[in-house]
Amino acid sequence: MTSFLVRRVLGAIVILILISLITFYLFYALPRDPARAFCGKICPPATLELVRHNLGMDKPLFVQYWLWLSAIFVGRDFTQFGPCPAPCLGYSFATQEPVFDAIVDRFPVTLSLTIGASVVILSFGILTGMLAAWKVGQPLDKIASSSSVIGASLQIYFVGPLVVFFVVDTLGLLPRPSYVQFTEDPLTWFVHLLIPWLVLSIIFTANYTRMTRSQMLEQLAEDYVRTARAKGMSGRSVFFRFAWRGAMIPIITIFGVDLATLLGGAIITEQTFTLHGIGELAVQAVQNTDLPMLLGVTVIGAAAIVFLNIVVDVLYAFIDPRVRLN
Amino acid sequence: MTTVSWSSEPGTSRGPGPFLSVRDLSVRFSTEDGVVRAVDGLSFDVEKGTTLGIVGESGSGKSVTNLTVLGLHDPAHTEIDGEIWLEDQELVGASGSTLEKLRGNRVAMIFQDPLTSLSPFHTIGRQIGEVYRRHRGANRKEARERAIEMLERVGIPQPATRVDHYPHEFSGGMRQRAMIAMALVCDPDLLIADEPTTALDVTVQAQILDLLKDLQQQFGTTIILITHDLGVVASTADNVLVMYAGRAAEQGTVREVLSKPRHPYTWGLLSSMPRLTSSVDVPLVPVRGTPPSLLSPPAGCAFHPRCDFSQLVGSDLCFTQRPDISPESGHGDACYLTLQQKRDIRTGDTKEQA
């Protein structure tokens, strides 16, 4: 287990370095000059040179990359903006605020969206899927199966405003989605994020309902489930203790992939509900040719996805003893 | 009527008879393509403490019959007629909870592939122990101790350590031993072994069969051994039932059926099996053709399309009338050939081979 974690963390670091390298390279492949954008509309060549120097853009690419990378661990002194203590991701070209602070500020929004939605999606999806499998062929199964197809074919930017209009504006059941610090007031945090979670779950739950159902039915036909019945185990225990374990494995695998989709798709979710999360930050960074911000958002986002996938892998081994983590 | 000994259901007791008695059993599955007659009018008895070998090709109804004994078919798609008596208890139509209490307790089953038949998610000890807990109300600790005891009994070394291992950490033979330990944990009266050695190495096969024999001698367990391997039957069983297309083709003691086989299908099975004693020049003769579809079995004797001797019967009996096993007790077979005709055919055969 320990050696597995060490290996995975080392692997994750390699992945993050590769991702930052690619982002770095792609950014300079753009035809736009960030120094010129930073310098403003009227920009004499001398000022442009100064800006270049201050941003560290007059150095060779790999030196620039090295400075960026080492700043994360030891900090860096920017002549123009002053010292930037570790972990330093530089200063935004556009807003001059420290990138790290901006991300720390926005990240909880996206994280709350993703984790809350995951909990709703998994519990709804697995529950309805198990019910459908338990009552296979009966009305309940048909309702669960067909309504999940409808859910899967909807889009956030379509359902989102509709739900906000009816639930918030017309019925006044819930407050308009916004972000309140969880540490400040958990209940307000919960109530204000409920609509985005539910809307996300309408769209994603369908997959889990269908997958849980088919996986359960598949597992129920397995030899070891027959053995459990031949041992005299009750129908319920066969269903929940034996078949369930096997059915969860592919579901967790897919969930690892969906987590990345949820985080990556945060841009759309945040736009739909006007939440100021990391997705919004990423879009602005691209629009502003804001290299430090873009790098920061990309690397932190990637780190979150990589970390959550390690958690998923550990969970996987926890459910299936055949998966040995070393 | 004698007093009901242990059965809670009134009216289910009957006089002393064979330990397990299957009477005119029919099992039909409704599928998308039609009704499959997996078992069609099958009767047999098993005496207490003996081993019955059930032999036949794939799809002859061997496994279906035994899954029916345990009541493991989905009632929504299965139609079962006939009677199955376990001592004085009727199993066909018994309630789900009655059968649940029976399974793993009085009647246990071991399956062909121990890797897929054991849960990959639970330790061996847990899988053995939970049977004991379910039927004997033992607590966790007692169940674990019992599991260790059972593992020791089936010859697994270091049972106290192995009890916490998962099936994938066991070898094939060890897994089947663990499976047997699981089946025997509640000292069942009847053990149904569905091809218990098919998935194993030949050397391990012999060990497993010896183990079953030993346990039978120690505990007097009645065994039904389902197999397509006549060699296994010869070395293990007391009686044999040869099944074809969901019906009994021939039955008798091992000695009777293997040394004086009467049904042309049994002849086919025997001649398709290599023997150490026969010359290498004698070719193996497989039964020609393929087993019939149970969706629309042939009229008359289900074996007639593959039988070389149906014209000897004279009339078109083989093609129109389904033969019943005769005589009903002792060595019997379901064929219209007379005993004399069979003897002539067999001596002809042996002359040809010699």
Side-chain angles (χ1 to χ4, degrees):
Chain A
M1 186 73 175
T2 327
S3 86
F4 165 81
L5 283 179
V6 169
R7 270 187 304 122
R8 284 304 303 263
V9 169
L10 288 178
I13 290 171
V14 172
I15 290 173
L16 294 181
I17 287 178
L18 281 176
I19 286 173
S20 61
L21 260 177
I22 292 168
T23 316
F24 204 84
Y25 176 77
L26 283 179
F27 182 82
Y28 279 102
L30 284 177
R32 286 158 84 183
D33 181 358
R36 190 171 290 279
F38 190 68
C39 183
K41 269 211 172 114
I42 305 150
C43 186
T47 324
L48 189 64
E49 275 313 300
L50 189 67
V51 170
R52 280 230 166 93
H53 179 72
N54 285 341
L55 294 177
M57 293 178 73
D58 51 349
K59 299 186 180 73
L61 262 189
F62 67 90
V63 176
Q64 284 187 45
Y65 179 74
W66 173 249
L67 284 172
W68 175 83
L69 191 64
S70 59
I72 297 174
F73 302 100
V74 297
R76 184 175 170 185
D77 197 0
F78 289 91
T79 351
Q80 194 181 1
F81 310 107
C84 167
C88 172
L89 291 170
Y91 287 91
S92 161
F93 285 176
T95 60
Q96 273 95 53
E97 64 177 323
V99 170
F100 189 76
D101 294 355
I103 291 173
V104 166
D105 201 34
R106 303 288 197 96
F107 203 63
V109 181
T110 307
L111 209 61
S112 299
L113 265 179
T114 309
I115 290 178
S118 301
V119 169
V120 179
I121 289 165
L122 281 180
S123 33
F124 260 156
I126 292 172
L127 193 78
T128 48
M130 301 247 305
L131 275 177
W134 181 252
K135 301 277 174 199
V136 64
Q138 293 177 27
L140 191 69
D141 171 28
K142 283 171 185 153
I143 293 169
S145 303
S146 50
S147 61
S148 70
V149 176
I150 298 171
S153 44
L154 297 173
Q155 292 294 336
I156 300 171
Y157 44 78
F158 171 68
V159 190
L162 272 180
V163 172
V164 170
F165 176 74
F166 283 112
V167 176
V168 179
D169 298 330
T170 313
L171 299 170
L173 288 175
L174 284 170
R176 191 168 296 281
S178 65
Y179 184 74
V180 180
Q181 289 280 338
F182 175 77
T183 44
E184 214 170 88
D185 185 352
L187 189 69
T188 321
W189 169 82
F190 180 83
V191 171
H192 281 78
L193 286 174
L194 203 53
I195 288 180
W197 289 343
L198 292 177
V199 169
L200 276 172
S201 79
I202 289 174
I203 289 140
F204 280 88
T205 300
N207 263 331
Y208 291 87
T209 306
R210 276 184 296 177
M211 202 156 49
T212 307
R213 178 182 180 275
S214 68
Q215 281 298 324
M216 283 302 292
L217 294 180
E218 208 170 281
Q219 291 295 320
L220 284 171
E222 287 284 334
D223 283 353
Y224 73 89
V225 172
R226 182 185 60 184
T227 309
R229 299 212 301 130
K231 293 199 293 194
M233 296 289 128
S234 70
R236 200 167 298 149
S237 115
V238 166
F239 192 84
F240 289 104
R241 282 204 30 236
F242 288 85
W244 183 83
R245 282 290 276 272
M248 280 310 103
I249 290 163
I251 288 170
I252 285 178
T253 311
I254 299 297
F255 178 64
V257 179
D258 272 357
L259 261 181
T261 317
L262 273 173
L263 273 174
I267 297 166
I268 298 169
T269 320
E270 285 160 15
Q271 288 285 333
T272 307
F273 298 106
T274 47
L275 293 166
H276 307 292
I278 217 148
E280 192 193 48
L281 212 55
V283 173
Q284 285 168 0
V286 173
Q287 284 166 350
N288 296 338
T289 335
D290 190 349
L291 174 66
M293 189 60 86
L294 191 61
L295 270 174
V297 169
T298 313
V299 169
I300 297 280
I305 290 171
V306 169
F307 171 74
L308 289 173
N309 270 295
I310 295 178
V311 172
V312 164
D313 280 352
V314 171
L315 218 59
Y316 200 96
F318 184 72
I319 287 187
D320 189 347
R322 286 171 298 182
V323 182
R324 278 282 157 257
L325 296 181
N326 42 50
Chain B
M1 188 186 280
T2 51
T3 39
V4 181
S5 48
W6 56 271
S7 168
S8 54
E9 285 168 68
T12 54
S13 78
R14 59 171 215 173
F19 178 67
L20 179 79
S21 179
V22 172
R23 288 283 147 255
D24 204 23
L25 181 73
S26 294
V27 182
R28 291 183 292 276
F29 301 115
S30 43
T31 66
E32 284 176 13
D33 302 320
V35 175
V36 175
R37 297 171 167 275
V39 178
D40 199 357
L42 177 72
S43 300
F44 66 87
D45 295 325
V46 193
E47 297 295 336
K48 197 165 180 64
T50 64
T51 300
L52 172 71
I54 302 185
V55 197
E57 285 164 296
S58 311
S60 59
K62 310 177 299 244
S63 298
V64 170
T65 304
N66 289 287
L67 290 173
T68 313
V69 173
L70 275 97
L72 282 180
H73 291 300
D74 180 359
H77 303 283
T78 322
E79 204 183 312
I80 300 170
D81 286 324
E83 297 171 18
I84 301 173
W85 290 89
L86 183 71
E87 283 189 329
D88 51 6
Q89 193 180 18
E90 160 70 299
L91 301 185
V92 173
S95 73
S97 67
T98 309
L99 289 169
E100 256 171 34
K101 277 182 210 130
L102 208 72
R103 292 200 284 260
N105 194 11
R106 282 197 80 201
V107 184
M109 188 151 184
I110 52 182
F111 295 98
Q112 177 173 345
D113 186 348
L115 181 58
T116 58
S117 298
L118 288 165
S119 162
F121 311 118
H122 303 98
T123 61
I124 291 286
R126 176 123 182 246
Q127 295 188 52
I128 297 174
E130 70 191 352
V131 190
Y132 201 58
R133 291 182 66 187
R134 166 121 175 106
H135 295 298
R136 296 291 160 89
N139 63 32
R140 214 170 268 270
K141 192 165 161 282
E142 289 164 351
R144 193 187 138 87
E145 275 161 16
R146 175 70 172 174
I148 297 173
E149 184 194 330
M150 290 310 294
L151 288 177
E152 187 159 25
R153 191 184 284 178
V154 297
I156 286 180
Q158 295 167 314
T161 326
R162 297 299 260 167
V163 73
D164 293 320
H165 286 194
Y166 289 94
H168 70 271
E169 297 169 297
F170 277 56
S171 68
M174 287 295 159
R175 266 180 225 136
Q176 194 59 291
R177 281 171 193 268
M179 189 86 193
I180 293 172
M182 194 166 84
L184 297 181
V185 69
C186 289
D187 297 321
D189 299 322
L190 174 63
L191 178 68
I192 300 171
D194 191 348
E195 309 230 8
T197 57
T198 309
L200 304 175
D201 286 348
V202 183
T203 46
V204 181
Q205 277 185 18
Q207 289 171 7
I208 295 290
L209 292 174
D210 282 346
L211 174 67
L212 284 176
K213 259 195 278 187
D214 285 351
L215 293 169
Q216 182 175 41
Q217 271 162 19
Q218 276 179 51
F219 302 100
T221 319
T222 309
I223 297 178
I224 295 178
L225 185 74
I226 304 170
T227 180
H228 57 252
D229 186 343
L230 284 168
V232 168
V233 166
S235 65
T236 328
D238 301 302
N239 299 297
V240 190
L241 171 69
V242 180
M243 281 188 71
Y244 188 80
R247 288 176 68 78
E250 182 162 0
Q251 64 180 31
T253 64
V254 168
R255 183 175 263 289
E256 285 165 348
V257 174
L258 296 190
S259 61
K260 294 194 193 72
R262 287 186 189 159
H263 197 282
Y265 177 61
T266 318
W267 300 343
L269 284 181
L270 285 166
S271 65
S272 59
M273 195 176 75
R275 279 162 197 259
L276 283 174
T277 49
S278 64
S279 156
V280 283
D281 298 327
V282 178
L284 291 176
V285 189
V287 186
R288 66 183 169 85
T290 50
S293 153
L294 295 175
L295 275 169
S296 51
C301 172
F303 187 63
H304 83 252
R306 303 172 76 185
C307 185
D308 293 323
F309 311 104
S310 45
Q311 72 284 358
L312 287 181
V313 173
S315 62
D316 56 358
L317 264 181
C318 288
F319 309 97
T320 53
Q321 292 254 344
R322 207 165 60 173
D324 282 318
I325 205 142
S326 84
E328 268 184 54
S329 60
H331 187 193
D333 68 319
C335 180
Y336 291 119
L337 292 169
T338 62
L339 281 177
Q340 188 56 49
Q341 282 173 318
K342 288 170 187 167
R343 252 189 306 258
D344 292 347
I345 294 166
R346 291 298 286 171
T347 42
D349 262 10
T350 27
K351 265 179 207 156
E352 266 171 44
Q353 281 179 15

